[in-house]
Amino acid sequence: MGKKILLKHDHVSGIQGYEVYRKMGGYTSVERALKNMTPNEVTEEVKKSGLRGRGGAGFPTGLKWSFMAKPKGVKRYLVCNADESEPGTFKDRYLMSRIPHLLIEGMIASSYALGANTAYIYIRGEFFYIARILENAINEAYANGWLGKNILDSNYSLDLFVHTGAGAYICGEETALLESLEGKRGNPRIKPPFPAVKGAWDCPTVVNNVETIAAVVPIINDGGEAYSKVGIGKSTGTKLISASGHINKPGVYEIEMGITVEDFIYSDEYCGGILNGKKLKAVVAGGSSVPILPADLILKTANGKPRLMSYESLADGGFTTGTMLGSGGFIVMDETTSIVKNLWNFTRFYHHESCGQCSPCREGTAWMEKVLHKILDGQGSLTDIDLLWEIQRKIEGNTICPLGEAAAWPVASAIRHFKSEFEEYVKNPSSINDVKHYFEVNKLEMA
Amino acid sequence: MTETKEIKFNEETLELVQRIIKRYPEGKQKSALLPLLHLAQAEFDGWLSAPTMDYVASLLNILPIEVYEVASFYSMYNLKPVGKCVIEVCRTSSCWLMGAEDIIKYLENKLSIKAGETTEDGMFSIKTVECLGSCGTAPMMMCGSQFHEKLSFEKVDNILDKLKSDDKRKTYFDAVVVEDY
C-alpha cells in the first residue's frame, strides 16, 4: 500500500462523526497549534512542508499565507474553496463527505495561523448534501469547544460558516468565488490587488482548496519537515487523485508523489488497467483544463524517462510534450475514444462556463465550439484546424482569469498530438459516423 | 400547475433567513443572496419568478436588478416553471466518455420531451448540467439533492418509477445526513 496521510482513516466506521474522529487523533493539531505555537510558527511549518496548492495552480501555500496583509483593526478571512467543479475532479467531494472533521480541523488551525476570526467554506451548490454534512460537523465542533469564543482558553475565537454556491464553474477561480460569496455574479476580479490584500468585503483574505487545508493538519501534527520528506523533489507530500474514464477501478486515490504514471494506471492498487481490456489512447492528467497527452507521452517523457505523478515530471517537456498535475483529475481514454469529439465536449463546457467578461474568452470559446461542431458535422475543411489553432492562441494570456487558458490548452494539445484525427474527419467525413456512443461500443442494450 | 400563493416565507423560514444574514459582516447582507435564492426556489414551486426575486430583494434591502443579474448567472436557479422532479444529467468529460449522451437520449425518448423541457403532467423536467464531481461513478444524474450514479437504462427506469410514485417536489433541501455509509 502507498503512503496515506489524509485518507489514513477514511474506512474507519463512523469517522464522519465527531466521537470516532476525535478517538482517531482528530483535533490534536488544533491543540498543538493553539497551546504551543504562535500563528507565525504554524505558517513556518507550512512553509517548511513545501505544501503546494492542491486546487490546480500548485502555488506554495506557506508563501501565499505570508502575503496576507495585516493592517491593524481590519478583519481577515480564510475562505475554503470547495467549489470543486473542474471536470474529472471529485477528490474534495470524497474528503468532505467522508471525513468532514478533517477539513474543519484544518480550517481552525489555518485560520489561527492567518489571524482570521471568521472563516467560510464556499461549497458548490450541487453539493447540498455535503453542505449538510459539513454543517453537522461544524455544530459538533462548536459543541465540543473547537469553534466559538476563546477556544481552549487560548483567547483565540473563530466562527466557521458554510456558504453554498449555485452552479458556476468560474466560481472556483478565487476572486470569482469571493464575488459569489458577496452575493454577486461570479465575475473574476482584476489582479492586483490580490485577495491577500483586498479579498472578501475588501478585507485581506486567503482562499485555499479543501485538500490544501486538510494537509495542514498532518503538517502541524508531524512537523513540516516530516511532510516534506514524503514525495519527490518539490512535489512534497501526498496528492488525492480522482481517477475516472475508461479504467477498471475509478475512484479517489491518495498517492505519494513520485509513483510512475504506468503504475498508477495499470496496477491493481490504483486504476487496475483499461476497461474491457482495451488499449490506452490518451490521458488528461489534471482536470479538463490541462493538455491532453497520447499514451506514449503520458507513460514516458520525450527523453524516454518514466513519467511520474508529480508536479515536475508531468510538466516535463513543457506544453510541447508534457502537461500538468493540475487538480489531479485523471481522465483516461481508451482506443475507441474520439479525441475530436471529446474536445468538442470540453469546448462546449468552457463556452457554457465562460462568465462573459472578456471578449477573447466569451467569443473565442463559442467560436471554437462552432468550428468543432462543423468538423463533426462533416462540413469541416483543413483551414478550420488552423482556425482553431489561431483562436486558442488569441485567447491564451488575454483574459482576466485563467479560464481563458483552461479553454485554450485542451484545443492546442489535441491539435498538437492528434492532428491526423482532425484531418481524417475533414477528408473523410464518413469516418465520423464510426464515432459510436459508449453504450453501443460496449454492446449495452437499451432496456 | 402553479396555483397562486402569496409569496412570503413562513415565520420559521424568516428566522432562518435572519440567521443566514448574520453569517456575514454587518451591512453585507447581500452576501446572503445565493442561499436565500435557494430557499425561495425550494419554497415557491421550484423556480424563481420575478415576484419571488423581488421578495428576496426586499428581504435583503437590495434592488431587484441585483437579484435578477445573479439569478440569471447561476445554473441552479430556474427562471421558468419546472416539473416536480428536475432531472439534472451531467454531460461533461468522464460522464460523456461513459455514455452520458446515451442516458440523455434515453430520458428524452422515455419522457417524450427534449432536454430543457417539462412533461405535460408537470412531473419531470430534463436539464443538462456540467460536471457534478461524480466522474468516478459516471454516468450520473441528480434529482433534488440526490446523486444517482453508475447509471444504466434499467437504473434510470427504476429511478423514474420511484420518483413518479413518490409524487413529491424534489428540492436541494431534501438532503439528509447519513452518519455512516
Side-chain angles (χ1 to χ4, degrees):
Chain A
M1 282 300 283
K3 183 130 183 127
K4 281 194 167 191
I5 294 178
L6 297 181
L7 303 183
K8 210 159 44 178
H9 303 304
D10 67 333
H11 285 296
V12 174
S13 174
I15 194 74
Q16 234 189 357
Y18 173 75
E19 295 301 329
V20 175
Y21 181 76
R22 176 73 174 141
K23 211 180 284 169
M24 300 309 289
Y27 289 99
T28 46
S29 74
V30 175
E31 285 175 311
R32 207 183 150 96
L34 267 57
K35 285 184 179 162
N36 307 327
M37 297 167 84
T38 65
N40 280 341
E41 282 168 353
V42 176
T43 305
E44 281 312 307
E45 285 306 313
V46 173
K47 274 189 186 165
K48 257 191 250 168
S49 74
L51 175 67
R52 294 163 68 173
R54 299 291 194 235
F59 191 80
T61 306
L63 194 58
K64 191 175 191 176
W65 285 12
S66 67
F67 293 153
M68 180 77 125
K70 289 169 185 159
K72 273 224 164 77
V74 179
K75 288 193 92 173
R76 286 169 242 157
Y77 296 99
L78 170 65
V79 180
C80 172
N81 185 345
D83 189 62
E84 183 167 62
S85 33
E86 175 79 7
T89 315
F90 47 99
K91 63 184 176 76
D92 297 339
R93 176 188 169 201
Y94 181 76
L95 193 148
M96 290 187 289
S97 57
R98 195 64 214 162
I99 329 174
H101 282 284
L102 181 62
L103 174 60
I104 290 155
E105 182 178 351
M107 286 296 286
I108 302 167
S110 306
S111 299
Y112 171 72
L114 292 164
N117 297 109
T118 310
Y120 297 88
I121 299 173
Y122 181 104
I123 188 165
R124 65 178 301 182
E126 292 91 338
F127 287 170
F128 241 89
Y129 79 99
I130 304 177
R132 291 287 98 83
I133 293 173
L134 289 173
E135 280 167 351
N136 224 32
I138 287 172
N139 289 340
E140 286 182 311
Y142 270 107
N144 287 283
W146 301 105
L147 283 169
K149 293 214 160 28
N150 192 18
I151 304 165
L152 303 176
D153 289 325
S154 63
N155 268 333
Y156 175 69
S157 304
L158 176 67
D159 281 314
L160 176 59
F161 302 106
V162 177
H163 178 97
T164 42
Y169 168 72
I170 190 61
C171 292
E173 195 278 339
E174 61 179 10
T175 59
L177 183 147
L178 294 174
E179 287 286 298
S180 186
L181 178 67
E182 294 181 11
K184 302 178 202 156
R185 294 164 72 94
N187 289 346
R189 299 174 180 170
I190 293 174
K191 292 182 270 192
F194 287 91
V197 176
K198 208 174 169 190
W201 307 289
D202 287 346
C203 297
T205 305
V206 160
V207 183
N208 279 144
N209 173 261
V210 172
E211 189 187 345
T212 313
I213 289 172
V216 172
V217 172
I219 289 169
I220 294 175
N221 280 336
D222 306 327
E225 207 180 312
Y227 188 89
S228 74
K229 285 186 179 137
V230 181
I232 182 167
K234 282 187 179 164
S235 299
T236 60
T238 59
K239 175 87 188 82
L240 299 181
I241 305 289
S242 322
S244 69
H246 301 139
I247 44 174
N248 284 315
K249 290 171 60 194
V252 175
Y253 296 101
E254 179 168 17
I255 60 152
E256 176 168 0
M257 285 210 260
I259 67 166
T260 67
V261 173
E262 188 166 359
D263 195 29
F264 184 69
I265 297 176
Y266 291 101
S267 90
D268 282 335
E269 194 178 332
Y270 305 112
C271 303
I274 310 299
L275 201 58
N276 298 317
K278 293 209 164 66
K279 277 202 200 104
L280 174 67
K281 181 171 186 176
V283 170
V284 175
S288 63
S289 309
V290 310
I292 189 171
L293 285 184
D296 54 340
L297 280 176
I298 189 70
L299 296 173
K300 284 198 164 66
T301 64
N303 47 25
K305 282 189 288 190
R307 182 87 69 184
L308 310 178
M309 299 288 284
S310 72
Y311 290 101
E312 290 74 24
S313 182
L314 282 165
D316 189 323
F319 278 2
T320 319
T321 57
T323 181
M324 282 168 78
L325 177 64
S327 66
F330 198 88
I331 310 168
V332 179
M333 299 170 194
D334 74 11
E335 55 189 314
T336 65
T337 311
S338 162
I339 298 297
V340 183
K341 196 147 189 224
N342 178 70
L343 179 63
W344 163 78
N345 185 277
F346 280 4
T347 305
R348 196 215 67 242
F349 170 81
Y350 289 110
H351 174 208
H352 184 262
E353 297 300 335
S354 172
C355 81
Q357 237 185 159
C358 313
S359 312
C361 173
R362 182 185 64 239
E363 305 300 324
T365 51
W367 196 359
M368 294 193 299
E369 186 196 344
K370 278 184 194 154
V371 175
L372 283 161
H373 196 272
K374 183 182 166 199
I375 294 174
L376 286 166
D377 204 34
Q379 311 288 319
S381 65
L382 288 173
T383 54
D384 284 330
I385 308 171
D386 302 329
L387 178 61
L388 276 177
W389 184 265
E390 279 306 306
I391 303 170
Q392 66 81 19
R393 221 171 52 87
K394 283 171 182 156
I395 300 175
E396 187 184 0
N398 293 320
T399 54
I400 290 175
C401 88
L403 193 139
E405 281 77 40
W409 293 341
V411 175
S413 56
I415 297 176
R416 189 177 292 123
H417 300 299
F418 295 95
K419 196 169 184 186
S420 60
E421 206 170 294
F422 289 81
E423 290 167 347
E424 177 64 19
Y425 281 2
V426 167
K427 287 181 198 153
N428 181 14
S430 66
S431 68
I432 299 165
N433 297 329
D434 293 339
V435 180
K436 291 215 170 52
H437 289 164
Y438 176 80
F439 280 34
E440 282 175 65
V441 173
N442 290 287
K443 306 211 169 30
L444 297 167
E445 291 191 357
M446 285 242 178
Chain B
M1 193 175 76
T2 44
E3 66 264 42
T4 19
K5 67 176 171 187
E6 197 198 353
I7 294 173
K8 189 174 189 312
F9 287 137
N10 61 28
E11 282 307 313
E12 198 188 331
T13 312
L14 283 172
E15 273 172 33
L16 175 62
V17 166
Q18 289 312 313
R19 284 206 303 279
I20 292 174
I21 291 173
K22 286 213 177 76
R23 293 174 189 168
Y24 308 98
E26 225 184 307
K28 306 293 180 188
Q29 78 280 1
K30 184 179 171 176
S31 304
L33 180 52
L34 269 63
L36 258 53
L37 284 176
H38 280 305
L39 277 176
Q41 180 162 293
E43 185 78 15
F44 307 115
D45 301 317
W47 72 292
L48 298 171
S49 65
T52 302
M53 292 190 274
D54 295 349
Y55 174 62
V56 171
S58 73
L59 287 175
L60 291 174
N61 199 16
I62 56 177
L63 296 171
I65 184 69
E66 295 180 81
V67 181
Y68 304 161
E69 65 167 8
V70 163
S72 62
F73 185 84
Y74 297 94
S75 63
M76 285 172 80
Y77 300 130
N78 301 313
L79 298 181
K80 56 178 192 184
V82 289
K84 281 185 183 171
C85 301
V86 182
I87 310 286
E88 304 186 43
V89 200
C90 172
R91 57 174 178 172
T92 324
S93 76
S94 304
C95 275
W96 177 80
L97 284 172
M98 298 304 282
E101 284 188 343
D102 305 271
I103 297 291
I104 294 166
K105 261 195 199 161
Y106 186 71
L107 278 165
E108 288 180 334
N109 281 332
K110 194 169 159 94
L111 298 173
S112 305
I113 49 169
K114 293 271 163 219
E117 295 175 351
T118 302
T119 54
E120 257 176 41
D121 62 359
M123 191 66 214
F124 294 106
S125 299
I126 306 174
K127 185 170 170 182
T128 53
V129 296
E130 306 298 347
C131 189
L132 295 190
S134 191
C135 323
T137 36
M140 72 83 69
M141 62 188 200
M142 170 177 169
C143 185
S145 67
Q146 181 76 43
F147 279 38
H148 300 282
E149 307 178 283
K150 294 186 184 169
L151 292 176
S152 63
F153 299 133
E154 203 192 337
K155 228 172 164 176
V156 171
D157 286 341
N158 293 339
I159 294 162
L160 293 185
D161 287 348
K162 174 90 172 58
L163 289 170
K164 200 158 186 175
S165 67
D166 282 359
D167 195 27
K168 272 201 197 113
R169 180 171 293 286
K170 296 287 174 189
T171 81
Y172 297 124
F173 291 89
D174 297 339
V176 277
V177 178
V178 187
E179 229 357 273
D180 202 19
Y181 66 99

